Amino acid sequence: NDIDGYAKFAQESESLIQRIRAEEDSRFRSWREDIDDRIDQDDPQMRLSGSLMGWSDGVLVVNFSEDLVRFLREVRQLDELGFDIPRGSSRRKGILEAAVDAERFYRYGMLLKKTANFYNSISEQIIDVQEQLLLGSLNAFVSIVSKTGSRSDGDINWTNPAECENYVRGLQDAAEKL
């Protein structure tokens, strides 16, 4: 405090801090409005729906969007930084509720993505001689993947965590045997 020019330095520092806080608040408000709009419009990339996984042009795909992964990462980081993540009302789902819903299934989504990546790349790893040896294990794996659409009451989907856990465990066991 006894250094020449300290008062000016303190004033400019306080001014800089205020501008940074204003920019931070503006960016958080913009992010919050964007996410609220996506939730209100029921953006398919922001919700868990449909079966856990399926086939697209012969490639195994997991129905857990990268936008949802990014959203969860952003919510975690903003929460760690001390931002107040808004809750919904009785009539409307908020950002926090959407994050909690997605977080319940995040682990299963990542495990399924890892397993799908393994399956999609296995053809590059096996040689022709091994194909016949692996046929039984491969068929067992494919039949478990196909179970997501063959239940009597519909697909195994993102509504029941216990059901997801059982499915993922069975799929991982089949992948490990393969």
Side-chain angles (χ1 to χ4, degrees):
N1 206 12
D2 60 345
I3 299 174
D4 290 340
Y6 176 76
K8 182 179 177 184
F9 173 75
Q11 180 183 8
E12 288 180 10
S13 296
E14 189 59 40
S15 173
L16 176 63
I17 290 170
Q18 288 174 359
R19 288 195 327 250
I20 290 172
R21 283 190 182 133
E23 179 67 22
E24 192 177 69
D25 290 343
S26 170
R27 287 181 184 237
F28 178 69
R29 192 176 322 107
S30 174
W31 174 84
R32 190 182 65 219
E33 289 168 0
D34 177 52
I35 296 298
D36 275 337
D37 286 346
R38 291 180 74 187
I39 290 171
D40 288 345
Q41 294 171 5
D42 203 22
D43 182 349
Q45 296 296 318
M46 291 295 293
R47 63 184 160 89
L48 292 166
S49 63
S51 63
L52 300 178
M53 56 192 330
W55 303 99
S56 175
D57 297 324
V59 175
L60 188 57
V61 293
V62 178
N63 295 321
F64 196 92
S65 78
E66 288 302 315
D67 284 358
L68 202 51
V69 173
R70 189 176 314 106
F71 164 68
L72 285 171
R73 197 174 307 132
E74 289 170 353
V75 168
R76 288 179 194 143
Q77 290 172 350
L78 290 168
D79 186 46
E80 283 293 318
L81 291 171
F83 286 93
D84 186 28
I85 307 298
R87 294 183 177 274
S89 64
S90 59
R91 294 172 281 148
R92 179 182 168 286
K93 187 179 199 178
I95 294 173
L96 189 60
E97 289 82 5
V100 168
D101 285 348
E103 187 68 43
R104 285 188 357 212
F105 295 97
Y106 174 79
R107 181 172 63 96
Y108 306 123
M110 294 304 99
L111 290 171
L112 289 172
K113 283 183 181 269
K114 179 180 171 186
T115 305
N117 185 44
F118 161 74
Y119 177 80
N120 292 333
S121 65
I122 197 167
S123 65
E124 300 165 4
Q125 299 172 18
I126 58 175
I127 55 177
D128 295 337
V129 178
Q130 293 175 313
E131 284 181 16
Q132 290 299 317
L133 297 172
L134 298 174
L135 193 57
S137 298
L138 215 102
N139 287 336
F141 182 87
V142 170
S143 74
I144 290 174
V145 170
S146 300
K147 283 183 183 179
T148 61
S150 63
R151 285 189 355 184
S152 59
D153 60 341
D155 286 347
I156 296 174
N157 55 37
W158 296 103
T159 56
N160 185 339
E163 201 173 68
C164 288
E165 184 171 353
N166 289 335
Y167 177 77
V168 168
R169 188 178 307 120
L171 190 65
Q172 285 184 313
D173 288 347
E176 194 157 316
K177 287 178 186 172
L178 180 58

